[in-house]
Amino acid sequence: MAFQPSKLGTKEHWDKVYEEELANFKEIGDEGEIWFGEESVDKMVEWTEENLPPSDDLSILEIGSGNGTLLFALAEAGYSQKVLSGIDYSPDAVNLSQAIAATREMNTIQFNVCNFLAEDTPTLPKMAGSTLEAWDLLLDKGTYDAIGLGVKDDEGKSPAAKYPARAARLMKPGGFFLITSCNFTEDELKTAFSACDTGLQYHSRIQHPTFSYGGKSGSIVSTVAFQKKSQIQM
Ligand SMILES: C[S@@+](CC[C@H](N)C(=O)[O-])C[C@H]1O[C@@H](n2cnc3c(N)ncnc32)[C@H](O)[C@@H]1O
């Protein structure tokens, strides 16, 4: 689906959101919005436990980690904090996630300010050197949606067009990308991410409650997993 750019696709918007959420957290301890609700967090954690059970050998990166809810839930489910990393381009999102982490004794989870579309992703301490082809699992909950609402370039391309290839280059061969979206359907996600130049292929999906409207049925959110091919298939 083609979206008109909206304020949700701007850094100014997210800076303002997290400035307010950080102030609220400091004042009343409110950790902020859980995008798509607790159920989507639980389902993404369950998928991860089934497909990549906790191990110190893992490396997991959330793209656009916001207040850090998903990474905290993984740590609570038994994943070592040392394997968990979040990036967000909004500095106050990172300040908020670090402030929440401090109250939960989860300071070893790494949170960094990073524009996923434009900068190199910081590595975990255990990853010597490059972040390319280095991650076992990339997570996205609402970030591709936000990026899809960004201003189009002169050729009319959304900033989201760059996203699949940038994600794929960070993933280990055999690694996974698990995304939850409300703006893109499962089929749209499959078309965007399993294009041949990314080396990604559809792996599985998470079932969400469905609704029916006007004779059509669908889910409010879609969660789809992709896997990077282990080797080039001719
Ligand atoms: C809908 S929020 C979701 C936050 C978090 N994943 C969650 O579920 O609570 C989208 C997030 O993406 C971040 N974001 C948007 N574009 C980004 C980019 N280019 N690089 C890094 N983070 C980005 C925003 O700052 C915001 O935290």
Side-chain angles (χ1 to χ4, degrees), residues 133 138 163-172 198-200 228:
E133 304 234 305
L138 300 186
Y163 185 120
R166 281 193 77 84
R169 68 206 270 277
L170 298 185
M171 295 161 64
K172 279 183 189 167
T198 61
L200 303 187
K228 186 162 169 175

Side-chain angles (χ1 to χ4, degrees), residues 188-207:
E188 286 167 337
L189 293 172
K190 284 181 184 164
T191 305
F193 285 92
S194 47
C196 56
D197 57 341
T198 61
L200 303 187
Q201 54 197 7
Y202 170 77
H203 174 267
S204 52
R205 64 191 286 273
I206 296 177
Q207 180 71 50

Side-chain angles (χ1 to χ4, degrees), residues 8-11 14-15 18 33-36 41 62-70 87-90 93 114-118 140-147:
L8 269 75
T10 67
K11 182 168 178 298
W14 294 109
D15 284 348
Y18 289 110
E33 178 147 3
I34 301 185
W35 284 88
F36 313 143
V41 175
E62 184 181 2
I63 301 164
S65 45
N67 61 8
T69 310
L70 181 56
I87 54 166
D88 204 290
Y89 70 176
S90 179
C114 172
N115 182 343
F116 174 67
L117 294 182
D140 181 314
K141 185 161 71 71
T143 303
Y144 182 63
D145 286 348
I147 289 175

